[in-house]
Amino acid sequence: MQTTLHGSQVTLRPATAGDLPDLVRIRRTPEVYRWWRGGKDLTAEMTDDLGNPEVHMLAIEHAGMVTGAVQWSAEEDPDYRHASIDIFLDPAAHGHGLGSDAVRTLARHLISDHGHHRLVIDPAAGNAAAIACYRKVGFRPVGVMRRYERSPDGGWHDGLLMDLLADELTEG
């Protein structure tokens, strides 16, 4: 069981099957689906993620409501050890610093409690709001991954690989 984490505005706690209706609703919003698309059955897909021991999904709560999810996974090979983060947030909660608070809170936990010296995140290269959010936490662009991810229209879009070294984490 994972720990519940507290940021300055958000609480991150292990996601449960009871969170799925809210999380699926958020994932289906056009603003989120554009960047976080999925298969035809998002409920089944997210249920699989909840049962995957390599994916650690945390519900993001603000003011007592589920407003999104942040998840992480780790590369444990000692020569390449690092953790990766992914996040989606309800569009109604955008622009209030909740995303950067969630990413910062999880990053702090991964560095302090799991001993990771390096974290990565890979937003779509065209997702300017996400990139700005991650920069606030201290992530830096590493490079563009060309035609990295399938778009909702069936084409491909570029991804931006960003990383954060432990001593670069910024406080909000």
Side-chain angles (χ1 to χ4, degrees):
M1 181 60 104
Q2 293 185 35
T3 306
T4 296
L5 307 172
H6 300 281
S8 62
Q9 299 183 75
V10 300
T11 298
L12 309 179
R13 59 159 178 78
T16 67
D19 298 319
L20 287 176
D22 287 328
L23 296 177
V24 169
R25 176 188 55 77
I26 294 166
R27 283 270 305 268
R28 283 188 176 135
T29 62
E31 300 91 337
V32 174
Y33 188 81
R34 176 179 180 198
W35 308 116
W36 260 79
R37 70 185 218 108
K40 292 182 182 189
D41 190 346
L42 284 177
T43 301
E45 190 177 304
M46 294 187 75
T47 299
D48 288 347
D49 284 347
L50 285 176
N52 184 343
E54 294 181 11
V55 176
H56 308 277
M57 186 183 300
L58 302 169
I60 302 170
E61 288 187 349
H62 174 69
M65 297 183 64
V66 173
T67 58
V70 61
Q71 63 189 39
W72 67 276
S73 59
E75 168 59 61
E76 295 295 349
D77 181 321
D79 292 335
Y80 298 94
R81 190 168 189 277
H82 69 278
S84 61
I85 298 173
D86 280 310
I87 183 174
F88 64 89
L89 196 62
D90 190 326
H94 288 180
H96 301 286
L98 303 182
S100 58
D101 187 37
V103 171
R104 182 178 291 110
T105 300
L106 179 56
R108 189 180 306 114
H109 171 69
L110 294 171
I111 292 165
S112 298
D113 300 330
H114 290 269
H116 287 285
H117 75 286
R118 180 174 172 266
L119 307 176
V120 298
I121 200 160
D122 59 353
N127 191 343
I131 293 165
C133 168
Y134 308 147
R135 282 182 182 269
K136 288 179 192 172
V137 177
F139 281 87
R140 297 180 185 181
V142 174
V144 173
M145 299 175 290
R146 300 179 309 148
R147 295 185 190 162
Y148 175 66
E149 192 169 48
R150 183 87 57 191
S151 299
D153 66 4
W156 295 94
H157 65 252
D158 295 345
L160 178 65
L161 179 61
M162 301 178 80
D163 73 2
L164 169 84
L165 300 180
D167 60 351
E168 297 169 344
L169 179 64
T170 64
E171 291 305 320

